[in-house]
Amino acid sequence: MTATILLTPAVEDRTPSSLPPRLVLAPGDTAPALIDGAWWPRSRDLAAELPALIEVLDPLWGRITRVTVNPTFWPVIPRKVPVHGHVVHVGWFEAEQDPHKLLLLSYTVGRWDLLVVPPETEPVTAARLMTMAADPSRSLTATGLIQEAERFRTAAEAEADSDSYREAFWDYEGGHDARHPDSRTPDRAVIGHVPTPAEGV
């Protein structure tokens, strides 16, 4: 079963059910895949974002001891991040690690790879990415998932633009009142008598 988790801040005005999910994990009983789920941080500040994520993952995956990122999208990479009860070491790999992936290591259990959904992503696209990352049949890398979601978003926008254009053209042409160019309807009203059919015919 896929785990969907709301990473709520300490002070939050909205109810948890109204918040978008920030972490989705793939089902644990599926075959190993390139991505084990997706995380949608609120910012690119690792020192601020990692503690909440790791507090959720520690009970599920065993104590997370190390995290690695690609520095492409992280402006500051702290060497250590204090988490409730322990310290997590943070490292980075430039060429070896997908820029859209967060790698987590547990000393006792193993390794997990999460897609990092860019913080500025629109909620609809973020939800799509998180669903794709948790799909048991998934076979794309983190960057592949981002590119696939971008293609879908571009296609949806093009379709919406096309619909808007068709609607505007329809309105310009008169909409429902527009007549087919081949119509033979006269310009003026025609008033005439329609004979009553003869009885018995």
Side-chain angles (χ1 to χ4, degrees), residues 170 173-180:
W170 175 256
E173 289 293 315
H176 294 293
D177 296 330
R179 301 198 185 275
H180 192 277

Side-chain angles (χ1 to χ4, degrees), residues 161-175:
D161 288 346
S162 176
D163 288 346
S164 296
Y165 172 78
R166 283 194 291 266
E167 187 175 326
F169 185 75
W170 175 256
D171 289 342
Y172 173 77
E173 289 293 315

Side-chain angles (χ1 to χ4, degrees), residues 28-109:
D29 57 351
T30 56
L34 297 174
I35 298 294
D36 299 299
W39 174 47
W40 186 22
R42 289 178 171 81
S43 73
R44 289 290 185 181
D45 183 348
L46 279 172
E49 298 289 343
L50 280 178
L53 173 67
I54 291 169
E55 277 190 52
V56 170
L57 295 179
D58 274 354
L60 299 173
W61 288 349
R63 178 173 283 195
I64 303 298
T65 55
R66 182 171 292 276
V67 171
T68 66
V69 297
N70 181 308
T72 302
F73 297 115
W74 301 100
V76 177
I77 301 173
R79 292 178 60 116
K80 296 178 182 179
V81 174
V83 179
H84 185 70
H86 65 103
V87 172
V88 173
H89 297 271
V90 183
W92 58 272
F93 295 101
E94 203 158 357
E96 300 89 349
Q97 186 166 332
D98 188 317
H100 294 287
K101 185 170 76 174
L102 181 77
L103 188 148
L104 302 110
L105 296 168
S106 169
Y107 179 72
T108 56
V109 182

Side-chain angles (χ1 to χ4, degrees), residues 2 24 38 115 124-136 138 145:
T2 302
V24 176
L115 164 71
V124 171
T125 302
R128 174 172 294 281
L129 278 165
M130 297 177 92
T131 299
M132 290 165 60
D135 183 348
R138 63 209 177 281
L145 289 167

Side-chain angles (χ1 to χ4, degrees), residues 111-125:
R111 161 189 166 166
W112 294 269
D113 298 288
L114 294 179
L115 164 71
V116 178
V117 178
E120 65 278 4
T121 304
E122 291 293 324
V124 171
T125 302

